[in-house]
Amino acid sequence: MDTPSKLKWRPPKEDTIIFTQTSCGLDFDGRQACAVESAARHHGNRSVIVYVTAPFIDMSHPLIKVKFNHQCIFISDACRTEILRKYGGTYLDLDALTLRPLPNRTNYLGRLNSQSINNAVLSLVKGHPLSQTLANSIPEAFDPFNGTSIGPSLLYPALRDMCPGNLTNSTHTRSLSDAFNEDEVSAYLEDTSPYLQTPETCSDLTVFPQKMFYPINCKTGERFLLFLGGHGYGEKFLRFSKAYILHLSNSLTEQNIAQTGGDSILEEVMRRNCPDVHHYVRTNVGHLR
């Protein structure tokens, strides 16, 4: 289109699932489209809204002229905070693929590892004290050279301040020392230890353990498990995992490719949870990225 179409504003509700795309792009890639389809398929009674930054921007605006190292990330972190503060809802990153219906509760988020809680999955009621605290803290916490400064780096201290007595550095995580050792990989994928499924609490917030939203640690060699075919990891992952979300960590995995028609984790997750997108990608692209 030469000019953008005008859409009527419809505010989200507290049961709305919310995505944001802040790259000013004109289209979605396969994993982004899958994130939306999988969320919609598992939540037929809930609205799914995708907020997209306009591709037609007034580049003369003084704020736009300022280039930050992590501009899209900052916009996304700020937007999700304000949307949830003002309206409530469940926010998901566009690289978060839904594997089953999300928890039947409000006010939750999840651990990324033993010392970090992430904001890629964040569900809060309207006006929750956590979202208000985050919104109030953004101006002072903002660091243009630290991409997580108003995201996870701001979230964890805020939670610790809210619940200094009952939110501690969790040791209930497990990672692989060798992602290419068949026996160790199988043990990792098949591990359903209770501590990997037991949430923490902070006031009225539920903090789910790593395995629920971030079952594959993309900061380590584990991320290659997502794309590795020929080992049956996809079927094994889905058979044993109790995760609600598979978070792909785009910044770490966007260059990795899985050939379609295989049995990788990414292939099986897309085939079962976003079949329309999977069919299109397999027919027209030939690989999953």
Side-chain angles (χ1 to χ4, degrees):
M1 297 178 295
D2 293 331
T3 58
S5 59
K6 298 294 184 180
L7 300 178
K8 184 179 180 181
W9 167 250
R10 184 179 62 180
K13 301 177 182 179
E14 288 189 347
D15 67 345
T16 301
I17 297 173
I18 299 161
F19 294 93
T20 64
Q21 191 215 53
T22 57
S23 65
C24 301
L26 290 171
D27 53 19
F28 287 3
D29 62 27
R31 61 175 69 181
Q32 291 174 325
C34 182
V36 177
E37 182 186 343
S38 62
R41 283 188 176 275
H42 286 291
H43 303 91
N45 60 337
R46 298 175 64 176
S47 296
V48 177
I49 298 179
V50 186
Y51 293 104
V52 182
T53 47
F56 305 94
I57 294 178
D58 178 8
M59 297 304 294
S60 66
H61 193 286
L63 290 179
I64 300 299
K65 288 183 176 180
V66 180
K67 299 296 184 181
F68 297 123
N69 289 0
H70 309 280
Q71 194 172 40
C72 296
I73 298 173
F74 294 139
I75 295 171
S76 179
D77 284 332
C79 284
R80 77 189 71 174
T81 298
E82 180 60 11
I83 291 170
L84 293 179
R85 185 195 70 82
K86 191 169 183 177
Y87 301 106
T90 300
Y91 169 85
L92 301 178
D93 269 359
L94 265 177
D95 56 0
L97 310 186
T98 304
L99 307 180
R100 53 176 48 86
L102 291 169
N104 186 24
R105 65 180 76 186
T106 56
N107 303 330
Y108 62 81
L109 62 171
R111 278 196 175 274
L112 181 62
N113 54 51
S114 62
Q115 298 184 343
S116 177
I117 294 174
N118 203 9
N119 64 342
V121 179
L122 187 57
S123 184
L124 295 170
V125 296
K126 175 182 178 180
H128 192 275
L130 176 60
S131 58
Q132 189 64 61
T133 297
L134 295 175
N136 293 343
S137 302
I138 284 176
E140 183 177 351
F142 175 69
D143 178 355
F145 302 101
N146 177 2
T148 67
S149 63
I150 60 172
S153 295
L154 181 60
L155 177 62
Y156 197 38
L159 285 168
R160 294 293 297 272
D161 289 344
M162 287 179 63
C163 303
N166 64 341
L167 185 69
T168 59
N169 287 350
S170 174
T171 59
H172 299 333
T173 59
R174 177 177 179 176
S175 60
L176 290 172
S177 59
D178 184 356
F180 297 100
N181 179 299
E182 292 281 350
D183 291 338
E184 189 173 349
V185 169
S186 293
Y188 175 80
L189 295 177
E190 295 173 15
D191 190 352
T192 56
S193 303
Y195 71 74
L196 295 174
Q197 303 171 44
T198 304
E200 302 165 80
T201 58
C202 171
S203 183
D204 63 344
L205 288 163
T206 300
V207 181
F208 284 95
Q210 175 188 347
K211 281 279 195 174
M212 296 295 98
F213 299 140
Y214 312 101
I216 303 294
N217 185 353
C218 290
K219 289 189 175 182
T220 70
E222 292 176 38
R223 66 178 177 270
F224 297 111
L225 296 179
L226 293 169
F227 309 93
L228 197 60
H231 299 268
Y233 292 154
E235 187 278 332
K236 185 172 292 186
F237 169 77
L238 289 171
R239 176 154 48 99
F240 288 99
S241 177
K242 305 298 182 183
Y244 297 103
I245 294 289
L246 174 63
H247 186 249
L248 299 177
S249 298
N250 269 354
S251 61
L252 299 173
T253 66
E254 61 184 352
Q255 299 303 318
N256 297 106
I257 293 175
Q259 297 301 320
T260 57
D263 59 358
S264 67
I265 292 176
L266 182 57
E267 172 91 19
E268 286 298 308
V269 165
M270 292 184 70
R271 185 174 64 82
R272 300 188 194 188
N273 296 283
C274 57
D276 288 346
V277 170
H278 178 261
H279 175 74
Y280 178 87
V281 171
R282 182 170 183 175
T283 302
N284 295 279
V285 181
H287 63 262
L288 307 172
R289 169 174 282 175

